[in-house]
Coordinates of all heavy atoms in Angstrom, one line a residue:
Chain A
A525 N 40.4 126.0 99.4 CA 39.9 127.1 100.3 C 40.6 128.3 100.0 O 40.0 129.4 100.0 CB 40.1 126.6 101.8
E526 N 41.9 128.3 99.6 CA 42.8 129.5 99.5 C 42.3 130.3 98.4 O 42.3 131.4 98.3 CB 44.2 129.1 99.3 CG 44.9 128.5 100.5 CD 44.7 127.0 100.7 OE1 43.7 126.5 100.0 OE2 45.3 126.3 101.4
L527 N 41.8 129.5 97.2 CA 41.3 130.3 96.0 C 40.0 130.9 96.3 O 39.8 132.1 95.8 CB 41.2 129.3 94.9 CG 42.5 128.5 94.6 CD1 42.3 127.6 93.3 CD2 43.6 129.4 94.3
I528 N 39.1 130.4 97.2 CA 38.0 131.0 97.6 C 38.3 132.3 98.3 O 37.7 133.4 98.2 CB 37.0 130.2 98.4 CG1 36.7 128.9 97.5 CG2 35.8 130.9 98.9 CD1 36.0 127.8 98.2
L529 N 39.3 132.2 99.2 CA 39.7 133.4 99.9 C 40.2 134.5 99.0 O 39.9 135.7 99.2 CB 40.9 133.0 100.9 CG 41.4 134.2 101.7 CD1 40.4 134.7 102.7 CD2 42.7 134.0 102.4
L530 N 41.0 134.1 98.0 CA 41.5 135.1 97.1 C 40.3 135.8 96.3 O 40.4 137.0 96.0 CB 42.5 134.4 96.0 CG 43.8 134.1 96.7 CD1 44.7 133.3 95.7 CD2 44.5 135.4 97.2
E531 N 39.3 135.0 96.0 CA 38.1 135.6 95.3 C 37.5 136.6 96.2 O 37.1 137.7 95.7 CB 37.1 134.5 94.9 CG 37.5 133.7 93.8 CD 36.5 132.4 93.7 OE1 35.5 132.4 94.3 OE2 36.8 131.6 92.8
R532 N 37.4 136.3 97.5 CA 36.7 137.2 98.4 C 37.6 138.5 98.6 O 37.0 139.5 98.5 CB 36.5 136.6 99.8 CG 35.5 135.4 99.8 CD 34.9 135.1 101.1 NE 34.1 134.0 101.0 CZ 33.3 133.4 102.1 NH1 33.6 133.9 103.2 NH2 32.6 132.5 101.8
L533 N 38.8 138.2 98.7 CA 39.7 139.4 98.7 C 39.6 140.4 97.6 O 39.5 141.5 97.8 CB 41.2 138.8 98.8 CG 41.9 138.8 100.1 CD1 43.1 137.9 100.0 CD2 42.3 140.2 100.4
A534 N 39.6 139.7 96.4 CA 39.4 140.5 95.2 C 38.1 141.4 95.3 O 38.1 142.6 94.8 CB 39.5 139.7 94.0
S535 N 37.1 140.8 95.8 CA 35.7 141.4 95.9 C 35.6 142.6 96.9 O 34.8 143.4 96.7 CB 34.7 140.3 96.1 OG 34.7 140.1 97.5
W536 N 36.7 142.5 97.8 CA 36.6 143.6 98.8 C 37.2 144.9 98.3 O 37.0 145.9 98.9 CB 37.4 143.1 100.0 CG 36.8 142.0 100.7 CD1 35.5 141.6 100.7 CD2 37.4 141.0 101.6 NE1 35.3 140.5 101.5 CE2 36.6 140.1 102.0 CE3 38.8 140.9 102.0 CZ2 36.8 139.1 103.0 CZ3 39.1 139.9 102.9 CH2 38.1 138.9 103.3
N537 N 38.0 144.9 97.2 CA 38.6 145.9 96.7 C 39.3 146.8 97.7 O 39.0 148.0 98.0 CB 37.6 146.9 95.9 CG 37.0 146.3 94.7 OD1 37.8 145.8 93.9 ND2 35.7 146.1 94.5
L538 N 40.2 146.2 98.4 CA 40.9 146.9 99.4 C 41.8 148.0 98.8 O 42.2 148.0 97.7 CB 41.9 145.9 100.1 CG 41.3 144.7 100.9 CD1 42.4 143.8 101.6 CD2 40.3 145.3 101.9
D539 N 41.8 149.1 99.6 CA 42.4 150.4 99.0 C 43.9 150.2 98.9 O 44.6 149.8 99.8 CB 42.2 151.4 100.1 CG 42.5 152.8 99.7 OD1 43.3 152.9 98.7 OD2 41.8 153.9 100.1
M540 N 44.4 150.3 97.7 CA 45.7 150.2 97.4 C 46.6 151.2 98.0 O 47.9 151.0 98.3 CB 46.0 150.4 95.9 CG 45.3 149.3 95.0 SD 46.1 147.7 95.1 CE 47.7 147.9 94.3
E541 N 46.0 152.2 98.6 CA 46.8 153.3 99.3 C 47.0 152.9 100.7 O 47.8 153.5 101.5 CB 46.1 154.7 99.2 CG 45.8 155.1 97.8 CD 47.0 155.4 97.0 OE1 47.9 156.0 97.5 OE2 47.0 154.9 95.8
L542 N 46.3 151.9 101.2 CA 46.5 151.5 102.6 C 47.2 150.3 102.8 O 47.4 149.5 101.8 CB 45.0 151.5 103.3 CG 44.2 152.8 103.1 CD1 42.8 152.6 103.6 CD2 44.9 153.8 104.0
R543 N 47.5 149.9 104.1 CA 48.2 148.7 104.3 C 47.3 147.7 105.1 O 46.7 148.2 106.1 CB 49.5 148.8 105.0 CG 50.5 149.6 104.1 CD 51.5 150.3 104.8 NE 52.3 149.4 105.8 CZ 52.3 149.6 107.0 NH1 51.9 150.6 107.7 NH2 53.1 148.7 107.7
Y544 N 47.3 146.5 104.9 CA 46.4 145.5 105.5 C 47.2 144.3 106.0 O 48.1 143.9 105.3 CB 45.2 145.1 104.6 CG 44.4 146.1 104.1 CD1 44.7 146.8 102.9 CD2 43.2 146.5 104.8 CE1 43.9 147.9 102.4 CE2 42.4 147.5 104.2 CZ 42.7 148.2 103.1 OH 41.9 149.2 102.6
R545 N 46.7 143.6 107.0 CA 47.2 142.4 107.4 C 46.1 141.3 107.4 O 45.0 141.6 108.1 CB 47.9 142.4 108.7 CG 48.4 140.9 109.1 CD 49.3 141.0 110.2 NE 48.6 141.4 111.4 CZ 49.3 141.9 112.5 NH1 50.6 141.9 112.5 NH2 48.7 142.3 113.6
I546 N 46.3 140.2 106.6 CA 45.3 139.3 106.6 C 45.9 138.0 107.4 O 47.0 137.6 107.1 CB 45.0 138.8 105.1 CG1 44.4 140.0 104.4 CG2 44.0 137.6 105.1 CD1 44.3 139.6 102.9
T547 N 45.0 137.5 108.4 CA 45.4 136.4 109.1 C 44.6 135.3 108.9 O 43.3 135.4 108.9 CB 45.4 136.7 110.7 OG1 46.3 137.8 110.9 CG2 45.9 135.5 111.4
C548 N 45.1 134.2 108.5 CA 44.4 132.9 108.2 C 44.6 131.9 109.2 O 45.8 131.6 109.5 CB 44.7 132.3 106.8 SG 44.3 133.4 105.5
F549 N 43.6 131.1 109.5 CA 43.7 129.9 110.3 C 43.1 128.8 109.5 O 42.0 128.8 109.2 CB 43.1 130.0 111.6 CG 43.5 131.1 112.5 CD1 42.8 132.4 112.4 CD2 44.6 131.1 113.3 CE1 43.1 133.5 113.1 CE2 45.0 132.2 114.0 CZ 44.2 133.4 113.9
T550 N 44.1 128.0 109.0 CA 43.7 127.0 108.0 C 43.9 125.5 108.5 O 44.8 125.4 109.2 CB 44.2 127.2 106.6 OG1 43.7 126.3 105.6 CG2 45.7 126.9 106.7
S551 N 42.9 124.7 108.2 CA 43.0 123.4 108.8 C 44.1 122.5 108.1 O 44.7 121.7 108.7 CB 41.6 122.6 108.8 OG 41.1 122.5 107.5
W552 N 44.2 122.7 106.8 CA 45.4 122.1 106.0 C 46.3 123.2 105.5 O 45.7 124.3 105.0 CB 44.9 121.3 104.8 CG 44.4 120.0 105.2 CD1 43.1 119.6 105.0 CD2 45.1 118.7 105.6 NE1 42.9 118.2 105.3 CE2 44.1 117.7 105.8 CE3 46.4 118.5 106.0 CZ2 44.5 116.5 106.2 CZ3 46.7 117.4 106.6 CH2 45.8 116.2 106.6
S553 N 47.5 123.1 105.5 CA 48.4 124.2 104.8 C 48.2 124.2 103.4 O 47.7 123.1 102.8 CB 49.9 123.8 105.3 OG 50.3 122.6 104.8
P554 N 48.5 125.2 102.7 CA 48.3 125.3 101.3 C 49.1 124.3 100.5 O 50.2 123.9 100.8 CB 48.8 126.7 101.0 CG 48.8 127.5 102.3 CD 49.1 126.4 103.3
C555 N 48.4 123.7 99.5 CA 49.0 122.8 98.5 C 49.9 123.7 97.6 O 49.9 124.9 97.6 CB 48.0 122.1 97.7 SG 47.3 123.1 96.4
P556 N 50.9 122.9 96.8 CA 51.9 123.8 96.1 C 51.1 124.8 95.1 O 51.6 126.0 94.9 CB 52.5 122.7 95.3 CG 52.4 121.5 96.1 CD 51.0 121.6 96.8
D557 N 50.1 124.3 94.5 CA 49.4 125.2 93.5 C 48.8 126.4 94.2 O 48.9 127.6 93.8 CB 48.2 124.5 92.8 CG 48.8 123.5 91.8 OD1 50.0 123.5 91.5 OD2 48.0 122.5 91.4
C558 N 48.1 126.3 95.4 CA 47.6 127.4 96.0 C 48.7 128.2 96.6 O 48.5 129.5 96.6 CB 46.7 126.9 97.3 SG 45.1 126.1 96.7
A559 N 49.7 127.7 97.1 CA 50.9 128.5 97.5 C 51.3 129.4 96.4 O 51.6 130.7 96.6 CB 52.1 127.6 97.9
D560 N 51.4 128.9 95.1 CA 51.7 129.8 94.0 C 50.8 130.8 93.8 O 51.2 132.1 93.6 CB 51.7 128.9 92.6 CG 53.0 128.2 92.4 OD1 53.9 128.4 93.2 OD2 53.0 127.4 91.5
E561 N 49.5 130.6 93.9 CA 48.5 131.6 93.7 C 48.7 132.7 94.8 O 48.5 133.9 94.5 CB 47.1 131.0 93.8 CG 46.8 130.1 92.6 CD 46.9 130.8 91.2 OE1 46.5 132.0 91.2 OE2 47.3 130.1 90.2
L562 N 48.9 132.2 95.9 CA 49.0 133.2 97.1 C 50.3 134.1 96.9 O 50.3 135.3 97.0 CB 49.2 132.5 98.4 CG 47.8 131.8 98.9 CD1 48.1 130.8 100.0 CD2 46.8 132.8 99.3
V563 N 51.4 133.4 96.3 CA 52.6 134.1 96.1 C 52.3 135.2 95.0 O 52.7 136.4 95.1 CB 53.7 133.2 95.7 CG1 54.9 134.0 95.0 CG2 54.2 132.4 96.9
N564 N 51.6 134.9 94.0 CA 51.4 135.7 92.9 C 50.4 136.9 93.5 O 50.7 138.1 93.0 CB 50.5 135.1 91.8 CG 51.3 134.2 91.0 OD1 52.5 134.2 91.0 ND2 50.6 133.2 90.4
F565 N 49.5 136.6 94.3 CA 48.7 137.7 94.9 C 49.5 138.6 95.7 O 49.5 139.9 95.7 CB 47.6 137.1 95.8 CG 46.8 138.1 96.6 CD1 45.8 138.9 96.0 CD2 47.3 138.5 97.9 CE1 45.1 139.8 96.7 CE2 46.6 139.4 98.6 CZ 45.5 140.1 98.0
L566 N 50.4 138.0 96.5 CA 51.3 138.9 97.4 C 52.2 139.8 96.5 O 52.5 141.0 96.8 CB 52.0 138.1 98.3 CG 51.3 137.4 99.4 CD1 52.2 136.4 100.2 CD2 50.6 138.4 100.4
R567 N 52.7 139.3 95.4 CA 53.6 140.1 94.5 C 52.8 141.2 93.9 O 53.3 142.3 93.7 CB 54.2 139.2 93.4 CG 55.2 138.2 94.0 CD 56.1 137.6 92.9 NE 57.0 136.8 93.5 CZ 57.2 135.5 93.0 NH1 56.6 135.0 91.9 NH2 58.2 134.8 93.5
A568 N 51.6 141.0 93.7 CA 50.7 142.1 93.0 C 50.2 143.0 94.0 O 49.6 144.0 93.6 CB 49.7 141.3 92.1
N569 N 50.3 142.7 95.2 CA 49.6 143.5 96.3 C 50.4 143.7 97.4 O 50.3 143.1 98.5 CB 48.2 142.7 96.8 CG 47.2 142.6 95.7 OD1 46.4 143.6 95.5 ND2 47.2 141.6 95.0
G570 N 51.4 144.5 97.2 CA 52.4 144.9 98.2 C 51.8 145.5 99.4 O 52.5 145.6 100.5
H571 N 50.5 146.0 99.4 CA 50.0 146.6 100.5 C 49.3 145.6 101.4 O 48.6 145.9 102.4 CB 49.0 147.7 100.1 CG 47.8 147.1 99.4 ND1 48.0 146.3 98.3 CD2 46.5 147.3 99.6 CE1 46.8 145.9 97.7 NE2 45.8 146.5 98.5
V572 N 49.4 144.3 101.1 CA 48.7 143.3 101.9 C 49.8 142.4 102.5 O 50.6 141.8 101.8 CB 47.7 142.4 101.0 CG1 47.1 141.3 101.9 CG2 46.6 143.3 100.5
Y573 N 49.8 142.2 103.7 CA 50.6 141.2 104.5 C 49.7 140.1 104.8 O 48.6 140.2 105.2 CB 51.2 141.9 105.7 CG 52.0 143.2 105.3 CD1 51.3 144.4 105.2 CD2 53.4 143.0 105.3 CE1 52.1 145.5 104.7 CE2 54.2 144.2 104.9 CZ 53.5 145.3 104.7 OH 54.2 146.4 104.3
L574 N 50.4 138.9 104.8 CA 49.6 137.6 105.0 C 50.3 136.8 106.0 O 51.5 136.6 106.1 CB 49.6 136.9 103.7 CG 48.9 135.5 103.7 CD1 47.3 135.7 104.0 CD2 48.9 134.8 102.4
R575 N 49.5 136.3 107.0 CA 49.8 135.3 108.0 C 49.1 134.2 107.8 O 47.8 134.2 107.8 CB 49.7 135.9 109.4 CG 50.6 137.1 109.8 CD 50.5 137.1 111.4 NE 49.2 137.5 111.9 CZ 49.0 137.8 113.1 NH1 49.9 137.7 114.0 NH2 47.8 138.2 113.5
I576 N 49.7 132.9 107.9 CA 48.9 131.8 107.8 C 49.3 130.9 109.0 O 50.5 130.5 109.1 CB 49.2 131.0 106.5 CG1 48.8 131.9 105.3 CG2 48.5 129.6 106.5 CD1 49.1 131.2 104.0
F577 N 48.3 130.4 109.7 CA 48.5 129.4 110.7 C 47.8 128.2 110.3 O 46.5 128.3 110.0 CB 48.0 130.0 112.2 CG 48.7 131.1 112.8 CD1 48.2 132.4 112.5 CD2 49.9 130.9 113.4 CE1 48.9 133.4 113.1 CE2 50.5 132.0 113.9 CZ 50.0 133.2 113.8
A578 N 48.5 127.1 110.2 CA 47.8 125.8 109.7 C 47.8 124.9 110.9 O 48.7 124.8 111.7 CB 48.6 125.3 108.5
A579 N 46.7 124.0 111.0 CA 46.6 123.1 112.0 C 47.4 121.9 111.5 O 48.0 121.2 112.5 CB 45.1 122.6 112.1
R580 N 47.5 121.6 110.3 CA 48.3 120.4 109.8 C 49.0 120.8 108.5 O 48.6 121.7 107.8 CB 47.3 119.3 109.5 CG 46.4 118.8 110.7 CD 45.4 117.7 110.2 NE 44.5 118.3 109.2 CZ 43.3 118.8 109.6 NH1 42.9 118.8 110.7 NH2 42.6 119.3 108.4
I581 N 50.1 119.9 108.3 CA 50.8 120.2 107.1 C 50.3 119.2 105.9 O 50.2 118.1 106.2 CB 52.3 119.8 107.3 CG1 52.9 120.8 108.3 CG2 53.1 119.9 106.0 CD1 54.3 120.4 108.8
Y582 N 49.8 119.9 105.0 CA 49.3 119.1 103.8 C 50.4 118.6 102.9 O 50.9 119.5 102.1 CB 48.2 120.0 103.0 CG 47.5 119.3 102.0 CD1 46.5 118.4 102.3 CD2 47.6 119.6 100.6 CE1 45.8 117.7 101.3 CE2 47.0 119.0 99.6 CZ 45.9 118.1 100.0 OH 45.2 117.4 99.0
D583 N 50.8 117.5 103.1 CA 52.1 116.9 102.4 C 51.7 115.9 101.4 O 52.4 115.0 101.1 CB 53.0 116.4 103.5 CG 52.4 115.3 104.3 OD1 51.3 114.9 104.2 OD2 53.2 114.9 105.3
R584 N 50.5 116.0 100.9 CA 50.1 114.9 100.0 C 50.8 115.0 98.7 O 51.1 114.0 98.0 CB 48.6 115.0 99.8 CG 48.1 114.1 98.8 CD 46.6 114.0 98.8 NE 46.1 113.1 97.8 CZ 44.9 113.0 97.2 NH1 44.1 114.0 97.4 NH2 44.7 112.2 96.3
F585 N 51.1 116.2 98.2 CA 51.6 116.2 96.9 C 53.1 116.7 96.9 O 53.5 117.6 97.8 CB 50.9 117.3 96.1 CG 49.4 116.9 95.9 CD1 48.4 117.9 96.1 CD2 49.1 115.7 95.5 CE1 47.1 117.5 96.0 CE2 47.7 115.3 95.3 CZ 46.8 116.3 95.6
P586 N 54.0 116.1 96.1 CA 55.4 116.5 96.1 C 55.4 118.1 95.7 O 54.6 118.6 95.0 CB 55.9 115.8 94.8 CG 54.9 114.8 94.5 CD 53.7 115.2 95.1
G587 N 56.4 118.8 96.4 CA 56.4 120.2 96.1 C 55.9 121.0 97.2 O 55.9 122.2 97.2
Y588 N 55.2 120.3 98.1 CA 54.5 121.0 99.2 C 55.5 121.9 100.0 O 55.2 123.0 100.4 CB 53.7 120.2 100.1 CG 54.4 119.3 101.1 CD1 54.7 119.7 102.4 CD2 55.0 118.1 100.7 CE1 55.4 119.0 103.3 CE2 55.8 117.3 101.6 CZ 56.0 117.7 102.8 OH 56.7 117.0 103.7
E589 N 56.7 121.3 100.2 CA 57.7 122.1 101.0 C 58.2 123.3 100.2 O 58.3 124.4 100.9 CB 59.0 121.2 101.3 CG 58.7 120.0 102.1 CD 59.1 118.7 101.5 OE1 58.8 118.5 100.3 OE2 59.8 117.9 102.1

Side-chain angles (χ1 to χ4, degrees):
Chain A
E526 294 84 345
L527 302 186
I528 298 172
L529 177 73
L530 286 175
E531 284 172 5
R532 291 200 184 177
L533 255 163
S535 77
W536 296 336
N537 290 311
L538 297 180
D539 191 332
M540 294 291 286
E541 306 294 318
L542 300 174
R543 294 157 57 236
Y544 301 89
R545 177 168 63 197
I546 301 174
T547 304
C548 297
F549 305 92
T550 187
S551 61
W552 284 113
S553 64
C555 78
D557 290 345
C558 289
D560 274 353
E561 293 299 326
L562 291 168
V563 165
N564 290 339
F565 173 85
L566 291 173
R567 288 195 180 132
N569 293 273
H571 64 310
V572 175
Y573 299 80
L574 179 64
R575 289 198 295 184
I576 299 175
F577 293 98
R580 300 176 299 267
I581 298 174
Y582 188 69
D583 55 5
R584 179 170 177 202
F585 300 131
Y588 74 95
E589 296 126 310

